[in-house]
């Protein structure tokens, strides 16, 4: 089963940019399809693989900062090829 996950990572501290960049770089190196825009990062792939990567990388990201939050939306399908129809 493939999934699509939209992530918004918000470290609640002054050096937030470094934490976001490091997190996204690790997602890019995971072998999964990763798309980015100014507001969020999307990750696409098989459920178990995506969730294993996120479990590891979110934990590491949280351990490296004092305070932060992660918004996550999951869709049951690979929406990486989505194009608006209008």
């Amino acid at each position: 089963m493939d999934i699509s996950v939209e992530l918004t990572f918000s470290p609640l501290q002054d050096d937030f940019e470094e934490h976001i960049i490091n997190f996204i770089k690790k997602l890019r190196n995971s072998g999964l399809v990763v798309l980015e825009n100014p507001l969020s990062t999307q990750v696409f792939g098989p459920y178990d693989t995506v969730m294993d990567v996120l479990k590891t990388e979110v934990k590491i990201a949280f351990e490296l900062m004092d305070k932060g939050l992660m918004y996550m939306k999951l869709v049951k399908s690979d929406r990486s090829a989505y194009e608006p129809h209008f």
Side-chain angles (χ1 to χ4, degrees):
M1 166 180 55
D2 287 335
I3 63 170
S4 303
V5 181
E6 181 180 60
L7 304 163
T8 302
F9 179 36
S10 302
L12 302 175
Q13 55 194 56
D14 291 337
D15 64 340
F16 64 91
E17 192 172 84
E18 172 189 346
H19 293 280
I20 294 169
I21 290 169
N22 289 337
F23 181 70
I24 292 173
K25 283 182 177 180
K26 287 187 173 190
L27 292 179
R28 287 178 184 165
N29 291 329
S30 70
L32 297 169
V33 175
V34 177
L35 301 176
E36 302 155 31
N37 66 54
L39 298 177
S40 65
T41 301
Q42 293 88 38
V43 181
F44 308 91
Y47 178 88
D48 289 331
T49 306
V50 171
M51 296 309 285
D52 286 346
V53 168
L54 291 178
K55 177 182 174 187
T56 299
E57 298 307 334
V58 169
K59 182 177 182 180
I60 291 168
F62 278 3
E63 288 174 341
L64 293 174
M65 63 183 179
D66 295 326
K67 297 178 182 149
L69 54 94
M70 179 79 67
Y71 291 107
M72 197 178 307
K73 296 182 207 175
L74 288 87
V75 177
K76 184 186 172 188
S77 69
D78 183 337
R79 305 293 293 160
S80 61
Y82 171 79
E83 291 188 27
H85 63 280
F86 52 91

